[in-house]
Amino acid sequence: MMRWLLIVLFPVVQSYLFGCYYDYSQPLVLPEQLPIGVCTHVLLIGAINVKNLNVNIIQRPYNGLNALQSMRDYRTRDSNKLKIIPSLVGDDDEWKTAMKDSESRSKFITSLIDFAKSQDLDGLDFDWEYPCGAYKSLFSQFIEELRLGVRKIFGNEFLLTTAVGAGKNTIDDCYEIGRLGESLDLIHLMTYDYHSIYDKQTGYSSPLYPKSIETDEARQYNTEWSAAYLVEQGVPRNKILIGLEGLGHTFQLNDSNIHDFAAPVVGTGYGGGWMTFIEYCLLVKTAGSNWDDEAKVNYTYYNDQWTNVGDVRAAAEKALFVKANSYGGAFTFGLHLDDPTDLCHHGETFPIHKTVARQLDLL
C-alpha cells in the first residue's frame, strides 16, 4: 500500500521592529503624549552619558532619573510590550578612556550592568559618533565583552544596539561592521544627512534611491546603497534597522529660478540650515511640495529658499523598502520631531510613526 505524505507550505511571515528615538530635552512632545502600540522599542536620549568609566545620570537642566521613570511609565501604558533602551552618549575623550584597555572596559561594563539592573531596563544603545581609527577595534572588543557580561545576568532578552553612520568612509574608518553585526542585536543605520548644509548645491538628506544624474561616488549617498553595503560586509539583514528622520536641511538658492535637485546654493537657508517636520508641513501648505519619484522624497522651495524634510509619504516608501528587502525594520529620529496634536492635519497624531507602524504590520 502506497502512503502519500501531504506537505502544506505556508508563507513565512517576517516580524519587523520599529525603534523610536525620543529626546527628553525637547518639550514640544511630552512623555504622556507618546503613542501606544506603535514602537517596538523606545531609545531614550538625554538621561545618561559616559563619564569617568561610569554611567552618569544627567542632573541639569532636568533630572535624568525622571526621564527614565517616564519611559517605564510609557512601557506600562503600552501593556509592557514596549522595550525601554536608554541611549548612551558622551564626549569623545570619555568614550576613548572607557575603551582603552581591559581594566577600563571591565569597570565600565560593571557600571553598565549595575545601572541596567537598578533601572529595570530592556537594553542599552550606544551612540558614539564615532569610534574611528584604532578605537573601532576596541569598540568591537568592548561590545563582545559586554555581551558576555549581559548574558550572564539577563540571558538573551537584553538588547545591545548602536547607531551607525551611513557613509562608506565612516563605515570603513569607524566600525568593524561585520564583527559588530555578530555581537549586537540591532544596528540603527543612520540613513540620513547624505546631503547637508555643507554642500554647495541642493540635495536630499535621506533619499531612498540614487538619482539618475548622479555618478561615481555620489551614487552611494542613499539608503539603498548603505543598507546593501552593510549586508555585503557581513551584517545579517534582520539586524539592520533603516533610519528615518523628522528633520531636514534648508538652503538659500543662488538663483530663485533654478530650484531642482543639485541647484547651486549660496549657503544655509531658514532656521540656520535646519527645518523640522512640523515646520515643513506648514510651509508646504503655502508653497506646495514636489515629489521626486526617483529618490522617493518630497522637497519644496519658496523664493530663494529650498528644503527637503522627511515626511509621511517618504516614510511610507522607506517602510515598503524595508519589507521588500527583508531588513529587520526601521527606526526614527524621532518621536519628539513628529506631530503630537495633528497640527499638520494628517487626520491622526504622530502621522510619521503611525504610517511606518501600519506599513510594518505593527498597527
Side-chain angles (χ1 to χ4, degrees):
M1 180 178 180
M2 184 176 292
R3 297 179 181 270
W4 293 93
L5 179 63
L6 180 63
I7 300 176
V8 180
L9 298 178
F10 295 96
V12 176
V13 178
Q14 178 174 342
S15 297
Y16 298 98
L17 298 177
F18 186 24
C20 306
Y21 279 90
Y22 173 61
D23 190 343
Y24 187 84
S25 70
Q26 301 294 321
L28 295 178
V29 179
L30 299 175
E32 293 78 10
Q33 294 175 285
L34 296 176
I36 300 303
V38 173
C39 309
T40 58
H41 55 288
V42 62
L43 300 130
L44 175 65
I45 303 170
I48 57 176
N49 56 23
V50 183
K51 190 171 184 179
N52 298 327
L53 305 182
N54 282 287
V55 178
N56 178 61
I57 298 173
I58 291 173
Q59 300 293 332
R60 296 175 182 273
Y62 53 85
N63 191 318
L65 291 175
N66 293 337
L68 289 161
Q69 182 60 52
S70 73
M71 292 300 98
R72 289 192 292 271
D73 292 342
Y74 184 22
R75 182 174 60 191
T76 300
R77 293 199 309 274
D78 205 34
S79 303
N80 291 319
K81 294 181 293 185
L82 185 69
K83 292 186 180 297
I84 302 302
I85 306 175
S87 188
L88 193 67
V89 299
D91 293 338
D92 198 53
D93 287 342
E94 293 286 353
W95 281 111
K96 289 178 178 178
T97 298
M99 300 292 126
K100 67 178 182 179
D101 55 42
S102 60
E103 183 179 352
S104 61
R105 291 194 301 273
S106 178
K107 182 177 180 181
F108 186 40
I109 287 169
T110 298
S111 174
L112 289 169
I113 291 174
D114 289 346
F115 174 75
K117 287 193 294 185
S118 70
Q119 296 300 315
D120 188 21
L121 303 178
D122 301 301
L124 289 167
D125 178 63
F126 301 95
D127 191 9
W128 181 8
E129 299 180 13
Y130 298 97
C132 304
Y135 287 94
K136 69 178 182 178
S137 179
L138 292 174
F139 184 60
S140 299
Q141 183 70 25
F142 159 72
I143 293 294
E144 290 168 353
E145 292 168 355
L146 176 60
R147 166 61 68 200
L148 292 175
V150 162
R151 188 172 288 135
K152 291 178 182 177
I153 303 299
F154 301 105
N156 293 320
E157 297 302 314
F158 193 87
L159 297 178
L160 297 181
T161 74
T162 195
V164 168
K168 183 180 187 301
N169 291 338
T170 300
I171 294 169
D172 290 345
D173 296 345
C174 303
Y175 309 102
E176 294 180 328
I177 199 65
R179 187 176 172 187
L180 288 176
E182 294 178 2
S183 301
L184 290 166
D185 294 290
L186 299 172
I187 290 178
H188 299 104
L189 182 58
M190 295 186 287
T191 46
Y192 39 79
D193 286 341
Y194 286 104
H195 298 282
S196 71
I197 56 178
Y198 303 105
D199 291 7
K200 300 190 182 303
Q201 60 186 24
T202 59
Y204 303 133
S205 177
S206 189
L208 188 48
Y209 301 108
K211 295 279 291 173
S212 57
I213 64 171
E214 293 180 298
T215 60
D216 302 324
E217 186 179 330
R219 296 190 66 79
Q220 301 173 359
Y221 302 156
N222 58 82
T223 299
E224 179 187 46
W225 189 92
S226 297
Y229 187 61
L230 257 61
V231 173
E232 181 185 317
Q233 300 303 307
V235 180
R237 285 178 181 269
N238 67 336
K239 290 188 176 185
I240 300 172
L241 301 193
I242 301 298
L244 305 90
E245 64 171 351
L247 281 172
H249 300 291
T250 66
F251 301 88
Q252 183 177 350
L253 296 166
N254 183 61
D255 183 338
S256 299
N257 296 312
I258 303 175
H259 43 62
D260 294 330
F261 178 84
V265 301
V266 296
T268 58
Y270 289 144
W274 293 93
M275 183 172 286
T276 66
F277 164 62
I278 289 180
E279 291 170 330
Y280 179 78
C281 72
L282 294 177
L283 175 61
V284 300
K285 289 182 182 298
T286 301
S289 64
N290 303 271
W291 177 253
D292 187 324
D293 203 43
E294 280 190 312
K296 305 297 184 187
V297 293
N298 269 311
Y299 69 96
T300 191
Y301 55 88
Y302 177 73
N303 291 332
D304 65 349
Q305 299 293 308
W306 190 100
T307 186
N308 154 243
V309 174
D311 67 351
V312 172
R313 186 175 180 183
E317 291 287 350
K318 275 201 171 180
L320 291 172
F321 168 80
V322 166
K323 295 176 73 173
N325 292 277
S326 299
Y327 290 115
F331 80 92
T332 63
F333 184 84
L335 284 162
H336 54 287
L337 295 170
D338 208 337
D339 182 0
T341 60
D342 197 21
L343 186 66
C344 296
H345 300 116
H346 282 92
E348 61 184 352
T349 59
F350 294 94
I352 289 178
H353 287 78
K354 289 179 180 177
T355 294
V356 173
R358 277 193 295 270
Q359 292 290 349
L360 297 182
D361 305 317
L362 298 171
L363 271 181

